[in-house]
Amino acid sequence: MSEERRSLAETCAGELQEILSRYLDRRSALLPVLQLAQREYGWISDDTMREVARIVGCRPVDVYEAVTFYSIFHRQPPGKYVLEVCRTLSCALLGGRKLTQHLEERLGIRCGETTPDGLFTLREVECIGACSNAPAMLINNRIYEDLTPEKLDAILDELRAEAM
Ligand code: FES
């Protein structure tokens, strides 16, 4: 699918040059350039992967491998709020999976999906560094700790109200 949008080189020329200048080999800039692309476009499309490959001088398949390996990259346009529940050991032992199931029920979607109103994307991720206050999750990269289904309900209500 082709997109009508301005290229990274047009929209973020200065930032792009600054990133590339940090590396002797442009290919080493792959991850920061992908992060820049996701910040600009919200997700990483096939067109974006080809563009990033041209910028850093690698093959599109190399970009694809990085995008599909790191869970921080979105392969579809995400919802306004990206809910990322930690599924690693400390959180799993303290009810992380139940939190995901609770969110699936409350939102009417499965993990990996976005609600039809475009408000919430639900994902599971590996340790987010909040193990001492497990179970934990990220919402748009902000950490929420010591979660319970009741706390999640309150958070969802707040986010819905904020989005109105
Ligand atoms: S195991 Fe969940 S934050 Fe570390």
Side-chain angles (χ1 to χ4, degrees), residues 84-94 96 99 125-139 141-147:
E84 297 177 303
V85 182
C86 174
R87 66 177 172 198
T88 308
L89 189 60
S90 300
C91 290
L93 289 174
L94 291 165
L99 294 181
V125 293
E126 301 305 333
C127 182
I128 55 173
C131 320
S132 57
N133 294 91
M137 69 185 294
L138 295 170
I139 301 179
N141 296 321
R142 177 178 163 199
I143 292 182
Y144 290 73
E145 302 169 316
D146 298 313
L147 290 168

Side-chain angles (χ1 to χ4, degrees), residues 23-71:
Y23 302 92
L24 289 176
D25 182 342
R26 281 180 162 235
R27 287 173 298 185
S28 302
L30 174 58
L31 292 180
V33 172
L34 276 171
Q35 287 174 307
L36 178 67
Q38 180 154 287
R39 194 198 71 199
E40 280 303 298
Y41 305 133
W43 63 295
I44 306 293
S45 67
D46 291 349
D47 284 351
T48 300
M49 284 194 272
R50 283 189 282 273
E51 181 185 6
V52 169
R54 278 194 303 276
I55 290 169
V56 303
C58 68
R59 299 172 305 165
V61 69
D62 299 324
V63 181
Y64 177 82
E65 284 174 1
V67 168
T68 53
F69 180 79
Y70 293 102
S71 65

